[in-house]
Amino acid sequence: MLLSSSQSLSPSLKSILSLVLLLAVSTVHVRAALYTDPADLPTTEYDYIVVGAGTAGNVIANRLSEDSSRRVLVVEAGVDDTGIVTVHAPFLGPNNQQTLTDWNYTTVPQTGLNNRSITVPRGFVLGGSSSISEYSTFFDFFDFMVWTQGSSDLFDSYADASGDPGWGWDAIQPFWKKVSTLVPSPNNPTLPPPPSSDPTLSNGNGPVQIALPNFATELDYRVINASQILQSSNTTSDRFKYTQDMNGGDTIGFGFNQESTGGGERSSSATAYLWPALNERDNVDVVIGTRAMRLVVDECDRYNSQKRFGAVEVAQSVDGPRTILNATREIVLSAGSIGTPQLLLLSGIGPKDEVEAAGVESLVNLKGVGKNLVDHPLLLTYYSVSAPPASSTFDDTIRNPSLINSAISEWSTSRSGLFSTAPTSLLGFMRVPLASDEPDPSTGPKSAHTEILFLDGFAALGAAKQPSEGYFLSVITAVVSPTSRGSLLLDSTSGLNVTQQGTFSQPLIDYGIMSEEWDVNAMLQALEDADTFLGTEPWGAVSGLFNTTDSSSNSEQYIRENTISVYHPIGSAKMGKAGDKLAVVDERLRVRGGVKGVRVVDASVFPTIPECHPQAVIYTIAERAAELIKQDNVL
Ligand SMILES: Cc1cc2nc3c(=O)[nH]c(=O)nc-3n(C[C@H](O)[C@H](O)[C@H](O)COP(=O)(O)OP(=O)(O)OC[C@H]3O[C@@H](n4cnc5c(N)ncnc54)[C@H](O)[C@@H]3O)c2cc1C
């Protein structure tokens, strides 16, 4: 039975959430060089201009400004993250969607989803999408911040696709270690602690703080037990196996996930990389509320086959003044997998016919810009949990304004309590059984095809609303090696002037989600696996409210009617070898097609989608990219 309830969010809860947005976080940043107007910048000429203060962009800004002889400017369209509680309190993150910290994009109607459009949340704030989190539409209370590094097969596939062994698993390890440090989490005293102090867990000594979930409940230990029971059964072998460490190269298995939090706060690329650079150095400036509108070609190169793009045109409103900012060394595009291809296309770099059809002068015919766009499909199902201990789910808290108030108050005063951690503790990565002659859509046997993720409570999503009573387990299933591909185009359908609108107009985003049958079948397999998992002995007290495997045809319709994405779009300016017609950047992330002076460092460059949550992979790639930029600019 599909759970449906007409319960709506009470006005008092909504007003609490609005208030939360306004509460001040006690951590106050010293503003070293944060500007709100490009006219106030001390200069219009920098060595490097980084477009986008997001996950990757802040890594680049920090590492390039380590050299005090270089001046770095970061141009960010969004807002300052300081004082926004829903950014910093881990449990509250998803309330950021559809607010001032989100670009609020949607896809074009998706044929694989019965022509539904789905939301495309993207961070519009210092920290970018590492500062906002998932799941919206009802209570918006769910934040995952999952920290997964991807498999050794994934990185080795990037080495193959680019022809550069430096992207391979072994070579990338020093950069992975530069990103994060595993810190202790304050544990729920009523339960044995998750294995946060295990010295064998993959770890590093970088600025992003990573913790094991600090509110593991009795339900979470049922997940572990179920995994171990299935692992020891003859029928399922290792498909449901338990794993202690998903970040050690082999991602397959069920276990505690790591999350990007520390000391009860979100650790984002802004808190870990940008603010420390801003507060400690005087050679890095950041201008917020300012959109890059296009890259400007050096006039002397306009008709040359090799063209240097040495400036960025920026604006604060569609009709406001435009300012030209010059980069004497390089422009680094870190505007994300939507913003980066949009900017390239607006700069005349992209498929000639599409660029011209949008009314933009074509300067570089680069066919892959905006192609290869892909995201992970996601589906949510709900199970009722009979009479758990009160502390086992967050249902009571999130339906009661005074308990929410207490949780906010506890977080505000001591960074502890329910809101100091993400609402998911456990997940599992699985392989779909493949026929012997069936191509493997993943990057190898250590990479997953599907994911199952558990939340101890009712995570309202889509049409579902939290019932007024009862306790729930929300089960997310996702296809992490999808075969469907989409694209991004400039939108010339509105009749408005595309060049004038620039990045104030949303591009046409088409994920092509669920357009390939393999992805639908993989989701069906994931739903069946979730039922198998929850049919084991530790779940005796769980009753499925929606049995997804009742009928395969109904299940397919359920999938097409309810699938959204995991908000992990990638690939729209992919890295590849010279012979690869859709390659947008080379192995050093320099834009191809004779473009000089421009690199892309963000989620757009992935040749294939990481079979995991991608933020840690993006940080890692950005660390190596910073090293490559330094190497290429020694003189
Ligand atoms: C709601 C949500 C939840 C997520 N949860 C997880 C998770 O649990 N685990 C995980 O691993 N991943 C998660 N992700 C995915 C992950 O956050 C992203 O893949 C990653 O942050 C992308 O990094 P990026 O550097 O490519 O882009 P972003 O971090 O999005 O940065 C791009 C930046 O560029 C700015 N920008 C864009 N265009 C312009 C322009 N024209 N001018 C100036 N600035 C511009 C944007 O405002 C933004 O700050 C989530 C994403 C979302 C949206």
mmCIF file with all atom_site columns, all heavy atoms in Angstrom, residues 238-262:
data_model
loop_
_atom_site.group_PDB
_atom_site.id
_atom_site.type_symbol
_atom_site.label_atom_id
_atom_site.label_alt_id
_atom_site.label_comp_id
_atom_site.label_asym_id
_atom_site.label_entity_id
_atom_site.label_seq_id
_atom_site.pdbx_PDB_ins_code
_atom_site.Cartn_x
_atom_site.Cartn_y
_atom_site.Cartn_z
_atom_site.occupancy
_atom_site.B_iso_or_equiv
_atom_site.pdbx_formal_charge
_atom_site.auth_seq_id
_atom_site.auth_comp_id
_atom_site.auth_asym_id
_atom_site.auth_atom_id
_atom_site.pdbx_PDB_model_num
ATOM 1   N N   . ASP A 1 238 ? 27.588 -12.510 -0.941 1.00 0.00 ? 238 ASP A N   1
ATOM 2   C CA  . ASP A 1 238 ? 28.126 -11.246 -0.464 1.00 0.00 ? 238 ASP A CA  1
ATOM 3   C C   . ASP A 1 238 ? 27.317 -10.023 -0.884 1.00 0.00 ? 238 ASP A C   1
ATOM 4   O O   . ASP A 1 238 ? 27.739 -8.902  -0.663 1.00 0.00 ? 238 ASP A O   1
ATOM 5   C CB  . ASP A 1 238 ? 29.561 -11.081 -0.995 1.00 0.00 ? 238 ASP A CB  1
ATOM 6   C CG  . ASP A 1 238 ? 30.545 -11.732 -0.052 1.00 0.00 ? 238 ASP A CG  1
ATOM 7   O OD1 . ASP A 1 238 ? 30.097 -12.249 0.991  1.00 0.00 ? 238 ASP A OD1 1
ATOM 8   O OD2 . ASP A 1 238 ? 31.748 -11.731 -0.370 1.00 0.00 ? 238 ASP A OD2 1
ATOM 9   N N   . ARG A 1 239 ? 26.176 -10.236 -1.497 1.00 0.00 ? 239 ARG A N   1
ATOM 10  C CA  . ARG A 1 239 ? 25.451 -9.058  -2.004 1.00 0.00 ? 239 ARG A CA  1
ATOM 11  C C   . ARG A 1 239 ? 25.057 -8.108  -0.871 1.00 0.00 ? 239 ARG A C   1
ATOM 12  O O   . ARG A 1 239 ? 24.959 -6.905  -1.070 1.00 0.00 ? 239 ARG A O   1
ATOM 13  C CB  . ARG A 1 239 ? 24.198 -9.485  -2.788 1.00 0.00 ? 239 ARG A CB  1
ATOM 14  C CG  . ARG A 1 239 ? 24.534 -10.149 -4.121 1.00 0.00 ? 239 ARG A CG  1
ATOM 15  C CD  . ARG A 1 239 ? 23.332 -10.243 -5.035 1.00 0.00 ? 239 ARG A CD  1
ATOM 16  N NE  . ARG A 1 239 ? 22.870 -8.944  -5.469 1.00 0.00 ? 239 ARG A NE  1
ATOM 17  C CZ  . ARG A 1 239 ? 21.629 -8.493  -5.278 1.00 0.00 ? 239 ARG A CZ  1
ATOM 18  N NH1 . ARG A 1 239 ? 20.739 -9.240  -4.661 1.00 0.00 ? 239 ARG A NH1 1
ATOM 19  N NH2 . ARG A 1 239 ? 21.285 -7.302  -5.708 1.00 0.00 ? 239 ARG A NH2 1
ATOM 20  N N   . PHE A 1 240 ? 24.783 -8.638  0.310  1.00 0.00 ? 240 PHE A N   1
ATOM 21  C CA  . PHE A 1 240 ? 24.337 -7.807  1.430  1.00 0.00 ? 240 PHE A CA  1
ATOM 22  C C   . PHE A 1 240 ? 25.414 -7.682  2.505  1.00 0.00 ? 240 PHE A C   1
ATOM 23  O O   . PHE A 1 240 ? 25.123 -7.431  3.657  1.00 0.00 ? 240 PHE A O   1
ATOM 24  C CB  . PHE A 1 240 ? 23.079 -8.411  2.063  1.00 0.00 ? 240 PHE A CB  1
ATOM 25  C CG  . PHE A 1 240 ? 21.869 -8.420  1.168  1.00 0.00 ? 240 PHE A CG  1
ATOM 26  C CD1 . PHE A 1 240 ? 21.632 -9.478  0.303  1.00 0.00 ? 240 PHE A CD1 1
ATOM 27  C CD2 . PHE A 1 240 ? 20.950 -7.378  1.198  1.00 0.00 ? 240 PHE A CD2 1
ATOM 28  C CE1 . PHE A 1 240 ? 20.505 -9.500  -0.509 1.00 0.00 ? 240 PHE A CE1 1
ATOM 29  C CE2 . PHE A 1 240 ? 19.825 -7.389  0.379  1.00 0.00 ? 240 PHE A CE2 1
ATOM 30  C CZ  . PHE A 1 240 ? 19.606 -8.453  -0.475 1.00 0.00 ? 240 PHE A CZ  1
ATOM 31  N N   . LYS A 1 241 ? 26.640 -7.863  2.136  1.00 0.00 ? 241 LYS A N   1
ATOM 32  C CA  . LYS A 1 241 ? 27.681 -8.000  3.163  1.00 0.00 ? 241 LYS A CA  1
ATOM 33  C C   . LYS A 1 241 ? 27.842 -6.722  4.007  1.00 0.00 ? 241 LYS A C   1
ATOM 34  O O   . LYS A 1 241 ? 27.515 -5.622  3.552  1.00 0.00 ? 241 LYS A O   1
ATOM 35  C CB  . LYS A 1 241 ? 29.014 -8.375  2.515  1.00 0.00 ? 241 LYS A CB  1
ATOM 36  C CG  . LYS A 1 241 ? 29.680 -7.235  1.763  1.00 0.00 ? 241 LYS A CG  1
ATOM 37  C CD  . LYS A 1 241 ? 31.020 -7.675  1.180  1.00 0.00 ? 241 LYS A CD  1
ATOM 38  C CE  . LYS A 1 241 ? 31.660 -6.525  0.427  1.00 0.00 ? 241 LYS A CE  1
ATOM 39  N NZ  . LYS A 1 241 ? 32.908 -6.862  -0.224 1.00 0.00 ? 241 LYS A NZ  1
ATOM 40  N N   . TYR A 1 242 ? 28.355 -6.922  5.186  1.00 0.00 ? 242 TYR A N   1
ATOM 41  C CA  . TYR A 1 242 ? 28.668 -5.802  6.077  1.00 0.00 ? 242 TYR A CA  1
ATOM 42  C C   . TYR A 1 242 ? 30.048 -5.259  5.720  1.00 0.00 ? 242 TYR A C   1
ATOM 43  O O   . TYR A 1 242 ? 30.956 -6.011  5.373  1.00 0.00 ? 242 TYR A O   1
ATOM 44  C CB  . TYR A 1 242 ? 28.662 -6.283  7.530  1.00 0.00 ? 242 TYR A CB  1
ATOM 45  C CG  . TYR A 1 242 ? 29.175 -5.248  8.501  1.00 0.00 ? 242 TYR A CG  1
ATOM 46  C CD1 . TYR A 1 242 ? 28.414 -4.125  8.812  1.00 0.00 ? 242 TYR A CD1 1
ATOM 47  C CD2 . TYR A 1 242 ? 30.435 -5.379  9.085  1.00 0.00 ? 242 TYR A CD2 1
ATOM 48  C CE1 . TYR A 1 242 ? 28.884 -3.155  9.677  1.00 0.00 ? 242 TYR A CE1 1
ATOM 49  C CE2 . TYR A 1 242 ? 30.915 -4.411  9.961  1.00 0.00 ? 242 TYR A CE2 1
ATOM 50  C CZ  . TYR A 1 242 ? 30.133 -3.305  10.248 1.00 0.00 ? 242 TYR A CZ  1
ATOM 51  O OH  . TYR A 1 242 ? 30.602 -2.345  11.100 1.00 0.00 ? 242 TYR A OH  1
ATOM 52  N N   . THR A 1 243 ? 30.194 -3.942  5.787  1.00 0.00 ? 243 THR A N   1
ATOM 53  C CA  . THR A 1 243 ? 31.528 -3.380  5.587  1.00 0.00 ? 243 THR A CA  1
ATOM 54  C C   . THR A 1 243 ? 31.808 -2.331  6.646  1.00 0.00 ? 243 THR A C   1
ATOM 55  O O   . THR A 1 243 ? 30.930 -1.555  7.021  1.00 0.00 ? 243 THR A O   1
ATOM 56  C CB  . THR A 1 243 ? 31.691 -2.771  4.177  1.00 0.00 ? 243 THR A CB  1
ATOM 57  O OG1 . THR A 1 243 ? 33.010 -2.228  4.067  1.00 0.00 ? 243 THR A OG1 1
ATOM 58  C CG2 . THR A 1 243 ? 30.699 -1.650  3.910  1.00 0.00 ? 243 THR A CG2 1
ATOM 59  N N   . GLN A 1 244 ? 33.017 -2.339  7.100  1.00 0.00 ? 244 GLN A N   1
ATOM 60  C CA  . GLN A 1 244 ? 33.425 -1.368  8.117  1.00 0.00 ? 244 GLN A CA  1
ATOM 61  C C   . GLN A 1 244 ? 33.825 -0.048  7.467  1.00 0.00 ? 244 GLN A C   1
ATOM 62  O O   . GLN A 1 244 ? 33.660 1.011   8.055  1.00 0.00 ? 244 GLN A O   1
ATOM 63  C CB  . GLN A 1 244 ? 34.622 -1.956  8.883  1.00 0.00 ? 244 GLN A CB  1
ATOM 64  C CG  . GLN A 1 244 ? 35.144 -1.104  10.005 1.00 0.00 ? 244 GLN A CG  1
ATOM 65  C CD  . GLN A 1 244 ? 34.395 -1.403  11.311 1.00 0.00 ? 244 GLN A CD  1
ATOM 66  O OE1 . GLN A 1 244 ? 33.239 -1.822  11.312 1.00 0.00 ? 244 GLN A OE1 1
ATOM 67  N NE2 . GLN A 1 244 ? 35.061 -1.200  12.419 1.00 0.00 ? 244 GLN A NE2 1
ATOM 68  N N   . ASP A 1 245 ? 34.352 -0.117  6.250  1.00 0.00 ? 245 ASP A N   1
ATOM 69  C CA  . ASP A 1 245 ? 34.934 1.082   5.641  1.00 0.00 ? 245 ASP A CA  1
ATOM 70  C C   . ASP A 1 245 ? 34.599 1.121   4.155  1.00 0.00 ? 245 ASP A C   1
ATOM 71  O O   . ASP A 1 245 ? 35.166 0.380   3.364  1.00 0.00 ? 245 ASP A O   1
ATOM 72  C CB  . ASP A 1 245 ? 36.460 1.064   5.839  1.00 0.00 ? 245 ASP A CB  1
ATOM 73  C CG  . ASP A 1 245 ? 37.102 2.354   5.352  1.00 0.00 ? 245 ASP A CG  1
ATOM 74  O OD1 . ASP A 1 245 ? 36.378 3.273   4.930  1.00 0.00 ? 245 ASP A OD1 1
ATOM 75  O OD2 . ASP A 1 245 ? 38.349 2.430   5.411  1.00 0.00 ? 245 ASP A OD2 1
ATOM 76  N N   . MET A 1 246 ? 33.689 2.004   3.779  1.00 0.00 ? 246 MET A N   1
ATOM 77  C CA  . MET A 1 246 ? 33.313 2.130   2.357  1.00 0.00 ? 246 MET A CA  1
ATOM 78  C C   . MET A 1 246 ? 34.312 2.956   1.576  1.00 0.00 ? 246 MET A C   1
ATOM 79  O O   . MET A 1 246 ? 34.182 3.108   0.363  1.00 0.00 ? 246 MET A O   1
ATOM 80  C CB  . MET A 1 246 ? 31.957 2.827   2.235  1.00 0.00 ? 246 MET A CB  1
ATOM 81  C CG  . MET A 1 246 ? 30.841 2.051   2.830  1.00 0.00 ? 246 MET A CG  1
ATOM 82  S SD  . MET A 1 246 ? 29.383 3.052   2.943  1.00 0.00 ? 246 MET A SD  1
ATOM 83  C CE  . MET A 1 246 ? 28.363 1.915   3.871  1.00 0.00 ? 246 MET A CE  1
ATOM 84  N N   . ASN A 1 247 ? 35.253 3.556   2.267  1.00 0.00 ? 247 ASN A N   1
ATOM 85  C CA  . ASN A 1 247 ? 36.154 4.500   1.607  1.00 0.00 ? 247 ASN A CA  1
ATOM 86  C C   . ASN A 1 247 ? 37.556 3.945   1.384  1.00 0.00 ? 247 ASN A C   1
ATOM 87  O O   . ASN A 1 247 ? 38.493 4.691   1.122  1.00 0.00 ? 247 ASN A O   1
ATOM 88  C CB  . ASN A 1 247 ? 36.219 5.801   2.415  1.00 0.00 ? 247 ASN A CB  1
ATOM 89  C CG  . ASN A 1 247 ? 34.894 6.544   2.358  1.00 0.00 ? 247 ASN A CG  1
ATOM 90  O OD1 . ASN A 1 247 ? 34.131 6.358   1.421  1.00 0.00 ? 247 ASN A OD1 1
ATOM 91  N ND2 . ASN A 1 247 ? 34.623 7.364   3.350  1.00 0.00 ? 247 ASN A ND2 1
ATOM 92  N N   . GLY A 1 248 ? 37.669 2.630   1.478  1.00 0.00 ? 248 GLY A N   1
ATOM 93  C CA  . GLY A 1 248 ? 38.990 2.038   1.344  1.00 0.00 ? 248 GLY A CA  1
ATOM 94  C C   . GLY A 1 248 ? 39.272 1.472   -0.043 1.00 0.00 ? 248 GLY A C   1
ATOM 95  O O   . GLY A 1 248 ? 40.230 0.725   -0.217 1.00 0.00 ? 248 GLY A O   1
ATOM 96  N N   . GLY A 1 249 ? 38.441 1.769   -1.024 1.00 0.00 ? 249 GLY A N   1
ATOM 97  C CA  . GLY A 1 249 ? 38.682 1.283   -2.386 1.00 0.00 ? 249 GLY A CA  1
ATOM 98  C C   . GLY A 1 249 ? 37.594 0.353   -2.867 1.00 0.00 ? 249 GLY A C   1
ATOM 99  O O   . GLY A 1 249 ? 37.225 0.372   -4.031 1.00 0.00 ? 249 GLY A O   1
ATOM 100 N N   . ASP A 1 250 ? 37.058 -0.493  -1.951 1.00 0.00 ? 250 ASP A N   1
ATOM 101 C CA  . ASP A 1 250 ? 35.935 -1.368  -2.291 1.00 0.00 ? 250 ASP A CA  1
ATOM 102 C C   . ASP A 1 250 ? 34.705 -0.798  -1.596 1.00 0.00 ? 250 ASP A C   1
ATOM 103 O O   . ASP A 1 250 ? 34.613 -0.806  -0.367 1.00 0.00 ? 250 ASP A O   1
ATOM 104 C CB  . ASP A 1 250 ? 36.215 -2.791  -1.804 1.00 0.00 ? 250 ASP A CB  1
ATOM 105 C CG  . ASP A 1 250 ? 35.110 -3.763  -2.212 1.00 0.00 ? 250 ASP A CG  1
ATOM 106 O OD1 . ASP A 1 250 ? 34.062 -3.300  -2.699 1.00 0.00 ? 250 ASP A OD1 1
ATOM 107 O OD2 . ASP A 1 250 ? 35.301 -4.985  -2.033 1.00 0.00 ? 250 ASP A OD2 1
ATOM 108 N N   . THR A 1 251 ? 33.748 -0.321  -2.380 1.00 0.00 ? 251 THR A N   1
ATOM 109 C CA  . THR A 1 251 ? 32.609 0.390   -1.776 1.00 0.00 ? 251 THR A CA  1
ATOM 110 C C   . THR A 1 251 ? 31.457 -0.531  -1.404 1.00 0.00 ? 251 THR A C   1
ATOM 111 O O   . THR A 1 251 ? 30.537 -0.103  -0.716 1.00 0.00 ? 251 THR A O   1
ATOM 112 C CB  . THR A 1 251 ? 32.060 1.434   -2.770 1.00 0.00 ? 251 THR A CB  1
ATOM 113 O OG1 . THR A 1 251 ? 31.739 0.787   -3.996 1.00 0.00 ? 251 THR A OG1 1
ATOM 114 C CG2 . THR A 1 251 ? 33.063 2.527   -3.028 1.00 0.00 ? 251 THR A CG2 1
ATOM 115 N N   . ILE A 1 252 ? 31.496 -1.780  -1.867 1.00 0.00 ? 252 ILE A N   1
ATOM 116 C CA  . ILE A 1 252 ? 30.324 -2.646  -1.731 1.00 0.00 ? 252 ILE A CA  1
ATOM 117 C C   . ILE A 1 252 ? 30.109 -3.042  -0.276 1.00 0.00 ? 252 ILE A C   1
ATOM 118 O O   . ILE A 1 252 ? 31.056 -3.400  0.431  1.00 0.00 ? 252 ILE A O   1
ATOM 119 C CB  . ILE A 1 252 ? 30.482 -3.934  -2.574 1.00 0.00 ? 252 ILE A CB  1
ATOM 120 C CG1 . ILE A 1 252 ? 30.830 -3.583  -4.027 1.00 0.00 ? 252 ILE A CG1 1
ATOM 121 C CG2 . ILE A 1 252 ? 29.225 -4.792  -2.509 1.00 0.00 ? 252 ILE A CG2 1
ATOM 122 C CD1 . ILE A 1 252 ? 29.816 -2.748  -4.742 1.00 0.00 ? 252 ILE A CD1 1
ATOM 123 N N   . GLY A 1 253 ? 28.844 -3.002  0.163  1.00 0.00 ? 253 GLY A N   1
ATOM 124 C CA  . GLY A 1 253 ? 28.523 -3.458  1.503  1.00 0.00 ? 253 GLY A CA  1
ATOM 125 C C   . GLY A 1 253 ? 27.649 -2.475  2.262  1.00 0.00 ? 253 GLY A C   1
ATOM 126 O O   . GLY A 1 253 ? 27.442 -1.336  1.833  1.00 0.00 ? 253 GLY A O   1
ATOM 127 N N   . PHE A 1 254 ? 27.141 -2.948  3.402  1.00 0.00 ? 254 PHE A N   1
ATOM 128 C CA  . PHE A 1 254 ? 26.291 -2.149  4.290  1.00 0.00 ? 254 PHE A CA  1
ATOM 129 C C   . PHE A 1 254 ? 27.095 -1.768  5.523  1.00 0.00 ? 254 PHE A C   1
ATOM 130 O O   . PHE A 1 254 ? 27.823 -2.595  6.072  1.00 0.00 ? 254 PHE A O   1
ATOM 131 C CB  . PHE A 1 254 ? 25.071 -2.970  4.733  1.00 0.00 ? 254 PHE A CB  1
ATOM 132 C CG  . PHE A 1 254 ? 24.038 -3.135  3.655  1.00 0.00 ? 254 PHE A CG  1
ATOM 133 C CD1 . PHE A 1 254 ? 24.253 -3.998  2.587  1.00 0.00 ? 254 PHE A CD1 1
ATOM 134 C CD2 . PHE A 1 254 ? 22.856 -2.409  3.691  1.00 0.00 ? 254 PHE A CD2 1
ATOM 135 C CE1 . PHE A 1 254 ? 23.302 -4.144  1.583  1.00 0.00 ? 254 PHE A CE1 1
ATOM 136 C CE2 . PHE A 1 254 ? 21.903 -2.547  2.687  1.00 0.00 ? 254 PHE A CE2 1
ATOM 137 C CZ  . PHE A 1 254 ? 22.127 -3.416  1.637  1.00 0.00 ? 254 PHE A CZ  1
ATOM 138 N N   . GLY A 1 255 ? 26.927 -0.546  5.958  1.00 0.00 ? 255 GLY A N   1
ATOM 139 C CA  . GLY A 1 255 ? 27.633 -0.139  7.167  1.00 0.00 ? 255 GLY A CA  1
ATOM 140 C C   . GLY A 1 255 ? 27.303 1.291   7.537  1.00 0.00 ? 255 GLY A C   1
ATOM 141 O O   . GLY A 1 255 ? 26.494 1.954   6.871  1.00 0.00 ? 255 GLY A O   1
ATOM 142 N N   . PHE A 1 256 ? 27.920 1.748   8.604  1.00 0.00 ? 256 PHE A N   1
ATOM 143 C CA  . PHE A 1 256 ? 27.761 3.142   9.009  1.00 0.00 ? 256 PHE A CA  1
ATOM 144 C C   . PHE A 1 256 ? 28.372 4.041   7.949  1.00 0.00 ? 256 PHE A C   1
ATOM 145 O O   . PHE A 1 256 ? 29.491 3.803   7.492  1.00 0.00 ? 256 PHE A O   1
ATOM 146 C CB  . PHE A 1 256 ? 28.472 3.398   10.339 1.00 0.00 ? 256 PHE A CB  1
ATOM 147 C CG  . PHE A 1 256 ? 27.704 2.879   11.516 1.00 0.00 ? 256 PHE A CG  1
ATOM 148 C CD1 . PHE A 1 256 ? 28.065 1.691   12.130 1.00 0.00 ? 256 PHE A CD1 1
ATOM 149 C CD2 . PHE A 1 256 ? 26.616 3.582   12.007 1.00 0.00 ? 256 PHE A CD2 1
ATOM 150 C CE1 . PHE A 1 256 ? 27.347 1.208   13.211 1.00 0.00 ? 256 PHE A CE1 1
ATOM 151 C CE2 . PHE A 1 256 ? 25.893 3.103   13.086 1.00 0.00 ? 256 PHE A CE2 1
ATOM 152 C CZ  . PHE A 1 256 ? 26.257 1.915   13.688 1.00 0.00 ? 256 PHE A CZ  1
ATOM 153 N N   . ASN A 1 257 ? 27.622 5.080   7.557  1.00 0.00 ? 257 ASN A N   1
ATOM 154 C CA  . ASN A 1 257 ? 28.229 6.031   6.644  1.00 0.00 ? 257 ASN A CA  1
ATOM 155 C C   . ASN A 1 257 ? 28.967 7.099   7.443  1.00 0.00 ? 257 ASN A C   1
ATOM 156 O O   . ASN A 1 257 ? 28.665 7.353   8.606  1.00 0.00 ? 257 ASN A O   1
ATOM 157 C CB  . ASN A 1 257 ? 27.190 6.666   5.720  1.00 0.00 ? 257 ASN A CB  1
ATOM 158 C CG  . ASN A 1 257 ? 26.064 7.355   6.463  1.00 0.00 ? 257 ASN A CG  1
ATOM 159 O OD1 . ASN A 1 257 ? 25.078 6.717   6.785  1.00 0.00 ? 257 ASN A OD1 1
ATOM 160 N ND2 . ASN A 1 257 ? 26.218 8.628   6.738  1.00 0.00 ? 257 ASN A ND2 1
ATOM 161 N N   . GLN A 1 258 ? 29.930 7.675   6.781  1.00 0.00 ? 258 GLN A N   1
ATOM 162 C CA  . GLN A 1 258 ? 30.596 8.832   7.373  1.00 0.00 ? 258 GLN A CA  1
ATOM 163 C C   . GLN A 1 258 ? 29.877 10.074  6.865  1.00 0.00 ? 258 GLN A C   1
ATOM 164 O O   . GLN A 1 258 ? 29.288 10.062  5.793  1.00 0.00 ? 258 GLN A O   1
ATOM 165 C CB  . GLN A 1 258 ? 32.063 8.842   6.973  1.00 0.00 ? 258 GLN A CB  1
ATOM 166 C CG  . GLN A 1 258 ? 32.798 7.587   7.438  1.00 0.00 ? 258 GLN A CG  1
ATOM 167 C CD  . GLN A 1 258 ? 34.247 7.532   6.969  1.00 0.00 ? 258 GLN A CD  1
ATOM 168 O OE1 . GLN A 1 258 ? 34.826 8.517   6.546  1.00 0.00 ? 258 GLN A OE1 1
ATOM 169 N NE2 . GLN A 1 258 ? 34.834 6.348   7.047  1.00 0.00 ? 258 GLN A NE2 1
ATOM 170 N N   . GLU A 1 259 ? 29.911 11.148  7.649  1.00 0.00 ? 259 GLU A N   1
ATOM 171 C CA  . GLU A 1 259 ? 29.243 12.379  7.229  1.00 0.00 ? 259 GLU A CA  1
ATOM 172 C C   . GLU A 1 259 ? 30.174 13.567  7.418  1.00 0.00 ? 259 GLU A C   1
ATOM 173 O O   . GLU A 1 259 ? 31.059 13.542  8.285  1.00 0.00 ? 259 GLU A O   1
ATOM 174 C CB  . GLU A 1 259 ? 27.937 12.576  8.009  1.00 0.00 ? 259 GLU A CB  1
ATOM 175 C CG  . GLU A 1 259 ? 28.144 12.688  9.515  1.00 0.00 ? 259 GLU A CG  1
ATOM 176 C CD  . GLU A 1 259 ? 26.847 12.888  10.302 1.00 0.00 ? 259 GLU A CD  1
ATOM 177 O OE1 . GLU A 1 259 ? 25.880 12.139  10.070 1.00 0.00 ? 259 GLU A OE1 1
ATOM 178 O OE2 . GLU A 1 259 ? 26.817 13.794  11.162 1.00 0.00 ? 259 GLU A OE2 1
ATOM 179 N N   . SER A 1 260 ? 29.954 14.609  6.596  1.00 0.00 ? 260 SER A N   1
ATOM 180 C CA  . SER A 1 260 ? 30.851 15.767  6.664  1.00 0.00 ? 260 SER A CA  1
ATOM 181 C C   . SER A 1 260 ? 30.386 16.735  7.752  1.00 0.00 ? 260 SER A C   1
ATOM 182 O O   . SER A 1 260 ? 29.837 17.800  7.480  1.00 0.00 ? 260 SER A O   1
ATOM 183 C CB  . SER A 1 260 ? 30.953 16.460  5.305  1.00 0.00 ? 260 SER A CB  1
ATOM 184 O OG  . SER A 1 260 ? 29.682 16.584  4.689  1.00 0.00 ? 260 SER A OG  1
ATOM 185 N N   . THR A 1 261 ? 30.585 16.290  8.977  1.00 0.00 ? 261 THR A N   1
ATOM 186 C CA  . THR A 1 261 ? 30.301 17.130  10.141 1.00 0.00 ? 261 THR A CA  1
ATOM 187 C C   . THR A 1 261 ? 31.464 17.018  11.121 1.00 0.00 ? 261 THR A C   1
ATOM 188 O O   . THR A 1 261 ? 32.219 16.045  11.103 1.00 0.00 ? 261 THR A O   1
ATOM 189 C CB  . THR A 1 261 ? 29.023 16.689  10.893 1.00 0.00 ? 261 THR A CB  1
ATOM 190 O OG1 . THR A 1 261 ? 29.236 15.381  11.428 1.00 0.00 ? 261 THR A OG1 1
ATOM 191 C CG2 . THR A 1 261 ? 27.815 16.683  9.999  1.00 0.00 ? 261 THR A CG2 1
ATOM 192 N N   . GLY A 1 262 ? 31.552 18.012  11.984 1.00 0.00 ? 262 GLY A N   1
ATOM 193 C CA  . GLY A 1 262 ? 32.546 17.957  13.058 1.00 0.00 ? 262 GLY A CA  1
ATOM 194 C C   . GLY A 1 262 ? 32.075 18.853  14.179 1.00 0.00 ? 262 GLY A C   1
ATOM 195 O O   . GLY A 1 262 ? 31.569 19.954  13.923 1.00 0.00 ? 262 GLY A O   1
#
